[in-house]
């Protein structure tokens, strides 16, 4: 199982529509939102390129917004962790 762990930008929440669109993808096993982090559980990955779009809604205006992390790792072997950072579209 592969986990995509998306830390939310300060002042943002994930939209319910975004969750619904992700949950309808056959590769997505489960989605959890806990304490400003979205966990997307995938059954497995293969060599095909995959694109995941997570729509966020700003609920609090935050100055000097810092990048948030996206971590991708194998649930059973978390040592192969891949980390990226994002600021969002229009930032």
């Amino acid at each position: 199982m592969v986990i995509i762990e998306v830390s939310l930008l300060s002042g943002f929440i994930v939209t319910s529509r975004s969750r619904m669109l992700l949950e309808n993808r056959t590769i997505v096993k489960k989605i959890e939102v806990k304490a400003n982090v979205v966990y997307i559980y995938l059954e497995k990955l293969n060599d095909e390129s995959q694109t995941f779009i997570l729509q966020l809604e700003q609920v609090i205006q935050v100055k000097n917004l810092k990048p948030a992390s996206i971590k991708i790792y194998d649930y059973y072997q978390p040592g192969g962790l891949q980390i990226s950072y994002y600021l969002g579209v229009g930032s």
Side-chain angles (χ1 to χ4, degrees):
M1 180 170 15
V2 175
I3 300 176
I4 302 173
E5 182 180 316
V6 182
S7 297
L8 297 179
L9 295 164
S10 297
F12 285 78
I13 60 170
V14 65
T15 65
S16 57
R17 182 175 185 272
S18 182
R19 286 185 64 166
M20 183 183 66
L21 291 172
L22 284 173
E23 288 171 344
N24 287 335
R25 298 202 37 194
T26 56
I27 192 170
V28 175
K29 186 173 182 178
K30 177 171 86 168
I31 297 174
E32 292 180 343
V33 180
K34 296 182 180 179
N36 297 326
V37 179
V38 177
Y39 298 91
I40 304 168
Y41 296 85
L42 309 177
E43 190 63 46
K44 61 182 175 180
L45 286 179
N46 53 30
D47 292 339
E48 285 185 38
S49 176
Q50 297 287 330
T51 300
F52 296 90
I53 298 173
L54 194 60
Q55 295 176 334
L56 304 179
E57 178 182 344
Q58 188 171 21
V59 292
I60 299 172
Q61 185 71 30
V62 176
K63 291 184 179 184
N64 300 321
L65 193 61
K66 303 292 185 238
S69 66
I70 301 172
K71 301 174 186 175
I72 303 172
Y73 54 93
D74 186 323
Y75 179 81
Y76 301 105
Q77 296 176 337
L81 177 70
Q82 296 292 320
I83 302 175
S84 293
Y85 297 92
Y86 74 99
L87 269 176
V89 176
S91 297

